[in-house]
Amino acid sequence: MKEKIFGYYREAIIIREVEETFLRMFSEGKLNGTVHTCIGQELSAVSVCNNLSDKDFVVSNHRCHGHYIAFKKDIKGLIAELMGKKSGICGGIGSSQHIYNKNFLSNGIQGGIVPIAAGIAFSKKLKNENGIAVVFIGDGTLGEGAVYETMNIISLLELPILIVCENNLYAQSTYISENMSGSILNRAKSFNLNTFECETFDVEQLFSVTESAVDFVRIKRKPAFCLINTYRLSAHSKGDDNRDKEEILNYEKRDPVNIFKEKHKDEYTTYFNEAVQLINTVFKSIENDCNLNFVEYKDTNLTNNKIEWKNYNPSGGKYSDSIYTFLSNSLNNTENTVILGEDIHSPYGGAFKITRDLSDIFPSRVISTPISESAITGLSNGLAISGFRPILEIMFGDFITLALDQIINHASKFYHMYNKQINCPLIVRTPMGGRRGYGPTHSQSLENLLYGIDNTTLISLNRFYEPKEIYNSLIMHEKHPVFVIENKTDYGKKISQVQIENYCYEISDEKYPTIKIRPLYSKPDIVIVTYGGISSIVAECVDELINLHEIIPVVYVLSKLYPLDVIPFIKDAEYCRNIIIVEECKKEGGVGNHIIMKAAEIVKNLNFSLVIGSVNLPIPSVRELEEEVLPGKARIIKEIVNKYNEN
């Protein structure tokens, strides 16, 4: 037993010396960015991680070095990472906070890592694997709502995950009594989680309790919460420390590594010298390693500059049925498809009845979740990086705002942040748009918020093309997060064309086809680009524009909004030199502005451009006012005619 405990101290001393080395290098200007050390907390990492195996997965935070070394035993990869070397864990891209190595992941975004770890644990449950997930958080993380959303979910789903809360009394610089009310353990207990408590100042108790906590999760296949009371001896980050010096001094005296140094000087000296020699050897082995270059970091996206068009007649089937068919086929054909969302179980089947009876047919892979958009998006992220293809329904597009942290700071970053070691093939589908009288918070078109996010694809379905074909293409081609906007007024309608005399419908051969509504016998005067639910209203305007105002339009209905490709309509835009965007998104700051800007980069002599969108006001429930805010047929025609006549 003594030999085993001494071995743990040896690991703690290595962790401490590695981090002390990082601090010295930062002070000498040899490292970029920042560093958050766990000096004083090392035995917490050692005690938990020495009970884990390669089948387990550890998710850590900004203070991750100790967890990484204790679990992966990889000092060289960590040091190379912080030195910005190509040989680093993530090629030097993530540096101190953002590292990934097979079954270890860290991110400096507090709270958001917890639902991701839950998703990883969920994947182990679905695969019937013996491994567990462990996520390390700090006491300050308990201010984040995602933590509580996730505690509720892991308890409901009985997921094999251990949440380890390292309570070092400070959330960055703020003392715990100033930012936390109540008991840490009672918070976990309120979600019916089994709880454990120990401290780094009692080493035997620490190792006994953490072993029991890990064993509980592994054997019972249920979640648990382990509180480890500890103290961080170093600053939050590098040198920003305003804590009372007397308090730090008192904890230095209680620090188990310092006590070990006094009581077992010979062993400590041996372990310390081993650590120094090990670190020096690592530095020598990587000092000539090169850095990642920009070409290696960047992906090259090839654009198809040649598009073929063919005539197209839609099926005439129901829009919502097409989505249902895709979901049903995906569950039937691939075991890694999982559908999640609020109220999607039978008999309710979601707010717009898309999932209907799927939970009856596939009960383990159609998961009706609590109202927790942040957590269920994080859960989906965890599933996605674990080999599953999650399809997440956000009940109303308005609620996507609650999921943006998981999208922007996690899902979209994983691929590049971890040097292309993992993908996150998450599909988020959500209804948007007004004209249902749902009012200001259930009628918005917020695709502009999803525009331009790293490594994502933004799709908007329309009534002219089969939704299931778009979804099938997404499954086939996309390895990064995808957002699919479904206009809520289209669910009950048929996939069909608006009949226009002397016009035909053509479809491009793109992965996500563009629909072209073009005149058969005349050259167009204007190019109209549109997308989503409003595209059928735009088509209804064509006849009146021709017959009453003698303006001949060609209409392009986009499926893919981002990354934007203007190739489908740019030839006609160069000919007409007039381009109009019609969307239900806000006129100011909407997607249309991006389309105009990109088109203008190519068409240097535009005669005019016009964006027709919703008025920048909250969408009212009153029908008459809603019609004033949203662009309808009369306003679309009026604005086009006025602009055309001006020029």
Side-chain angles (χ1 to χ4, degrees):
M1 182 64 182
K2 178 182 177 182
E3 185 179 338
K4 192 174 183 181
I5 293 292
F6 275 35
Y8 294 150
Y9 275 107
R10 180 179 176 274
E11 283 191 59
I13 291 165
I14 291 172
I15 293 168
R16 182 166 297 190
E17 187 52 30
V18 168
E19 292 201 313
E20 292 283 12
T21 303
F22 288 154
L23 290 176
R24 286 194 295 271
M25 293 182 71
F26 270 109
S27 66
E28 294 166 4
K30 295 181 180 178
L31 297 181
N32 281 335
T34 187
V35 63
H36 304 86
T37 69
C38 66
I39 294 171
Q41 303 178 194
E42 299 93 345
L43 284 168
S44 169
V46 173
S47 68
V48 174
C49 293
N50 271 276
N51 290 298
L52 304 179
S53 74
D54 289 341
K55 295 179 181 179
D56 302 319
F57 200 114
V58 171
V59 178
S60 183
N61 49 48
H62 60 296
R63 208 172 302 285
C64 59
H65 309 143
H67 307 140
Y68 182 77
I69 294 173
F71 185 52
K72 301 299 292 184
K73 319 297 185 191
D74 173 32
I75 297 169
K76 182 178 179 179
L78 181 65
I79 292 176
E81 180 66 22
L82 269 76
M83 291 184 69
K85 300 293 186 179
K86 185 176 177 179
S87 56
I89 305 163
C90 298
I93 296 164
S95 191
S96 178
Q97 300 185 69
H98 319 102
I99 57 180
Y100 173 84
N101 185 353
K102 295 179 181 176
N103 56 344
F104 184 97
L105 176 153
S106 73
N107 194 348
I109 301 298
Q110 293 301 294
I113 58 173
V114 183
I116 292 168
I120 293 167
F122 194 14
S123 76
K124 294 185 179 300
K125 179 173 181 175
L126 290 172
K127 294 175 184 176
N128 199 28
E129 293 178 351
N130 186 45
I132 70 170
V134 176
V135 58
F136 287 93
I137 64 174
D139 52 289
T141 314
L142 294 169
E144 293 286 348
V147 175
Y148 304 102
E149 290 183 11
T150 308
M151 284 186 188
N152 184 43
I153 289 173
I154 63 176
S155 182
L156 287 169
L157 297 180
E158 294 191 339
L159 301 183
I161 177 173
L162 176 64
I163 300 175
V164 179
C165 178
E166 296 175 306
N167 174 22
N168 60 28
L169 303 180
Y170 285 88
Q172 190 159 330
S173 65
T174 306
Y175 191 66
I176 189 169
S177 63
E178 297 177 40
N179 63 20
M180 183 181 297
S181 176
S183 160
I184 292 177
L185 282 184
N186 283 344
R187 294 174 183 221
K189 288 176 182 177
S190 69
F191 293 101
N192 202 31
L193 299 181
N194 259 63
T195 59
F196 300 82
E197 183 175 12
C198 51
E199 59 179 53
T200 54
F201 312 110
D202 185 339
V203 176
E204 288 191 16
Q205 177 218 41
L206 172 70
F207 280 89
S208 174
V209 170
T210 52
E211 182 179 11
S212 296
V214 170
D215 285 349
F216 173 85
V217 177
R218 193 181 306 284
I219 295 167
K220 298 291 186 181
R221 313 307 295 164
K222 291 183 178 181
F225 185 97
C226 183
L227 173 61
I228 301 179
N229 297 306
T230 185
Y231 192 81
R232 166 174 46 85
L233 296 178
S234 292
H236 164 73
S237 169
K238 294 182 289 186
D240 53 343
D241 202 347
N242 56 2
R243 294 174 299 173
D244 181 70
K245 289 183 173 55
E246 190 66 31
E247 176 187 284
I248 298 172
L249 184 60
N250 288 335
Y251 276 103
E252 284 179 347
K253 293 175 182 176
R254 295 182 62 195
D255 174 60
V257 174
N258 287 339
I259 292 172
F260 182 83
K261 181 179 179 180
E262 292 298 318
K263 286 187 174 181
H264 306 280
K265 291 182 181 179
D266 292 343
E267 287 85 353
Y268 176 85
T269 301
T270 299
Y271 299 157
F272 178 80
N273 289 337
E274 284 179 358
V276 171
Q277 185 178 353
L278 179 61
I279 293 166
N280 288 338
T281 301
V282 166
F283 272 106
K284 193 170 288 186
S285 70
I286 65 175
E287 60 184 349
N288 295 321
D289 289 0
C290 62
N291 295 347
L292 202 69
N293 63 51
F294 186 68
V295 173
E296 293 171 305
Y297 177 60
K298 183 179 182 292
D299 273 351
T300 302
N301 295 316
L302 300 176
T303 302
N304 180 15
N305 290 317
K306 188 177 180 182
I307 291 176
E308 300 292 334
W309 298 88
K310 64 179 181 181
N311 289 332
Y312 172 68
N313 291 305
S315 67
K318 198 174 176 183
Y319 180 99
S320 60
D321 289 346
S322 183
I323 301 171
Y324 171 85
T325 299
F326 158 74
L327 295 175
S328 179
N329 288 343
S330 294
L331 289 164
N332 260 314
N333 298 333
T334 58
E335 291 185 358
N336 69 339
T337 298
V338 181
I339 299 175
L340 306 95
E342 298 160 3
D343 287 310
I344 64 171
H345 271 181
S346 173
Y348 191 67
F352 297 94
K353 314 304 178 190
I354 302 301
T355 53
R356 302 172 202 169
D357 59 351
L358 292 178
S359 62
D360 294 332
I361 306 169
F362 307 95
S364 66
R365 291 191 288 137
V366 178
I367 314 300
S368 191
T369 70
I371 303 173
S372 306
E373 286 82 6
S374 175
I376 62 177
T377 308
L379 192 76
S380 301
N381 285 342
L383 286 166
I385 65 176
S386 301
F388 283 88
R389 193 81 202 220
I391 301 170
L392 172 64
E393 176 180 309
I394 300 293
M395 184 183 287
F396 280 82
D398 313 69
F399 309 157
I400 201 79
T401 55
L402 300 166
L404 282 178
D405 174 58
Q406 282 296 329
I407 291 165
I408 295 172
N409 286 317
H410 299 279
S412 69
K413 296 291 190 294
F414 286 151
Y415 180 68
H416 278 100
M417 185 162 73
Y418 302 132
N419 197 20
K420 306 175 186 178
Q421 296 181 76
I422 57 173
N423 300 314
C424 187
L426 164 67
I427 293 178
V428 180
R429 44 172 297 270
T430 188
M432 287 193 188
R435 308 183 203 279
R436 294 285 293 262
Y438 290 165
T441 63
H442 289 68
S443 306
Q444 301 166 91
S445 294
L446 300 178
E447 53 266 26
N448 56 322
L449 298 184
L450 303 174
Y451 197 91
I453 299 175
D454 302 331
N455 293 319
T456 62
T457 299
L458 176 58
I459 299 290
S460 181
L461 303 181
N462 60 73
R463 276 180 54 212
F464 301 131
Y465 187 64
E466 284 278 357
K468 67 181 179 184
E469 297 302 329
I470 294 283
Y471 276 115
N472 286 334
S473 190
L474 289 172
I475 290 288
M476 186 181 304
H477 297 292
E478 299 302 330
K479 61 183 180 181
H480 301 310
V482 180
F483 311 107
V484 184
I485 298 167
E486 304 165 359
N487 190 278
K488 61 175 72 78
T489 61
D490 285 342
Y491 283 129
K493 297 176 182 176
K494 291 185 176 181
I495 304 162
S496 60
Q497 299 169 349
V498 175
Q499 297 304 311
I500 308 168
E501 189 176 0
N502 295 323
Y503 267 72
C504 72
Y505 284 74
E506 293 179 336
I507 188 170
S508 70
D509 61 353
E510 300 166 278
K511 284 188 296 187
Y512 311 112
T514 301
I515 301 294
K516 178 163 64 172
I517 310 172
R518 70 168 180 88
L520 285 169
Y521 310 114
S522 307
K523 290 288 187 180
D525 299 312
I526 60 173
V527 173
I528 301 176
V529 180
T530 186
Y531 62 89
I534 203 170
S535 57
S536 55
I537 297 176
V538 171
E540 291 170 0
C541 297
V542 171
D543 190 65
E544 189 171 328
L545 285 170
I546 297 169
N547 294 318
L548 294 185
H549 304 285
E550 298 184 344
I551 301 171
I552 302 173
V554 57
V555 178
Y556 288 88
V557 182
L558 305 180
S559 295
K560 187 177 73 168
L561 304 184
Y562 180 81
L564 177 66
D565 188 357
V566 299
I567 295 299
F569 61 84
I570 205 67
K571 202 169 183 180
D572 275 332
E574 288 177 315
Y575 171 79
C576 297
R577 296 191 298 118
N578 304 318
I579 184 168
I580 297 156
I581 313 298
V582 184
E583 61 183 339
E584 204 166 307
C585 195
K586 300 292 175 123
K587 177 180 173 66
E588 303 296 330
V591 171
N593 292 283
H594 297 284
I595 299 173
I596 291 289
M597 180 183 68
K598 196 158 185 180
E601 290 175 354
I602 300 172
V603 184
K604 302 299 182 184
N605 57 344
L606 269 177
N607 190 19
F608 75 79
S609 62
L610 172 67
V611 176
I612 302 173
S614 294
V615 179
N616 279 52
L617 287 170
I619 299 171
S621 183
V622 180
R623 183 184 297 277
E624 292 79 7
L625 292 177
E626 185 182 40
E627 289 174 355
E628 290 290 332
V629 171
L630 299 173
K633 181 178 177 181
R635 176 148 71 88
I636 292 169
I637 292 172
K638 181 180 178 181
E639 290 196 30
I640 291 174
V641 171
N642 289 344
K643 190 70 175 180
Y644 185 81
N645 290 336
E646 283 176 12
N647 293 272

